[in-house]
Amino acid sequence: MLLLDRATLSQKNLWIDERGFVFVIFTICSLAEQLGRSTVSVSSALKELDAAGLIERRRTRFSSPNHIFVKIPNVE
């Protein structure tokens, strides 16, 4: 939910990549702090979200946080 909320904020701030997709920038440490969880738990949760196709993580530069693309499923 936190990632979805941040994606909405990123959309308003026009954080858009060259493909036109909205992304958020969050370090694992920041996510862990915001959620009150360990970095291991957050890493595991991000891997699960990625495997389920709900997010996409793209590496940026060395020692920079990844861009996280939150995929919003179509509900009809």
Side-chain angles (χ1 to χ4, degrees):
M1 197 65 199
L2 180 61
L3 291 175
L4 183 58
D5 184 48
R6 288 291 285 261
T8 303
L9 183 61
S10 292
Q11 188 175 27
K12 289 179 185 175
N13 290 327
L14 299 177
W15 284 18
I16 300 170
D17 74 346
E18 66 280 351
R19 302 176 301 170
F21 296 130
V22 176
F23 62 90
V24 297
I25 299 174
F26 242 135
T27 64
I28 291 177
C29 291
S30 295
L31 271 171
E33 185 178 312
Q34 293 261 335
L35 296 171
R37 301 287 182 221
S38 71
T39 55
V40 174
S41 296
V42 170
S43 292
S44 176
L46 288 174
K47 286 178 187 174
E48 286 183 35
L49 289 170
D50 200 7
L54 297 174
I55 65 168
E56 176 186 331
R57 294 188 287 176
R58 185 178 298 161
R59 276 193 100 74
T60 55
R61 298 182 315 268
F62 178 72
S63 75
S64 294
N66 291 343
H67 289 175
I68 302 171
F69 299 88
V70 181
K71 298 178 181 178
I72 303 169
N74 291 331
V75 179
E76 292 183 27

